[in-house]
Structures are given as structure tokens and as C-alpha cells.
Amino acid sequence: MSTMKKLLFICSRNKWRSPTAEQVFSLAEGLEVRSAGLDKNAVNVLSSDDLEWADVIFVMEQTHRTKLSKKYRPFIGGKRIICLNIPDDYDFMDPALVQKLKTVVPGHLG
């Protein structure tokens, strides 16, 4: 049995916020990380496989949680879905976004 915690980060287009989160936490010990987008034109479109794989799901905004619950309810099960409340105001690897992620995410991994 794997002791790795599997984190899935979700935003809209999988261009800036969720790929940044994936990059930031991809080298952290004990974590496996993926990112995906909810929009049909996302770089990596969210799949049911992603949701089944994940132990913890992070969404960037409340609208993502709502859309996720409506469209993917059968695949969520009893998984933790955490809203990070990070607006679409950042570019990929924006230092302010990286700092915000490093501040907020670890508190949810306990």
C-alpha cells in the first residue's frame, strides 16, 4: 500500500494556477501531484480517472467546487474537496501565487 498522498489541483483552463500548484508540490516528499482544468478547452481536461486517483482535491475557487459537484458527483465519493479561494489573477509560477500556495496548502495535508 502506498504511503504517498495524492493531490489533485483543479482550476478552469489548467494554464496558470493549478499547473503552478502541481509544479510547487511535485518535488515534495510523500506527495504525488496532478493538475487539471474543468473547461473543455483546458490544457489537461479533468477526467474521472484523475478524481478516482486523488486522495485530496484542491479547487482554486468556489465556482470550481460547484461545477465539480454537479458534473463529477459519482467520482468524488467521500473525498476531501478544499477550496483555496485563489482568484484568476496570477500567471504561471507568479511568485505571489507560489507563496500563497506554500502558505495555504500544507495546512490541509495534516
Side-chain angles (χ1 to χ4, degrees):
M1 177 146 168
S2 172
T3 57
M4 299 286 277
K5 188 168 281 209
K6 298 172 184 167
L7 311 182
L8 176 61
F9 291 94
I10 298 172
C11 65
S12 297
R13 294 179 309 276
N14 190 232
K15 287 180 78 175
W16 297 306
R17 292 173 290 174
S18 58
T20 297
E22 181 178 14
Q23 184 91 14
V24 167
F25 295 102
S26 65
L27 299 177
E29 197 166 316
L31 300 179
E32 283 184 63
V33 186
R34 290 185 188 175
S35 68
L38 286 163
D39 292 354
K40 63 181 180 286
N41 63 344
V43 175
N44 294 310
V45 178
L46 180 66
S47 70
S48 58
D49 287 345
D50 291 326
L51 294 168
E52 290 172 350
W53 168 87
D55 295 320
V56 183
I57 300 164
F58 291 93
V59 295
M60 297 297 160
E61 300 175 43
Q62 192 60 46
T63 56
H64 299 139
R65 184 198 297 258
T66 303
K67 192 182 276 191
L68 186 66
S69 296
K70 284 181 182 169
K71 190 172 178 185
Y72 294 95
R73 182 174 298 284
F75 306 103
I76 296 170
K79 297 186 189 239
R80 286 177 60 205
I81 301 172
I82 297 156
C83 182
L84 297 173
N85 295 308
I86 298 176
D88 195 6
D89 296 339
Y90 303 93
D91 290 327
F92 179 67
M93 295 305 287
D94 180 314
L97 174 57
V98 169
Q99 186 56 49
K100 188 171 211 127
L101 290 163
K102 286 182 174 180
T103 301
V104 176
V105 171
H108 294 286
L109 301 180

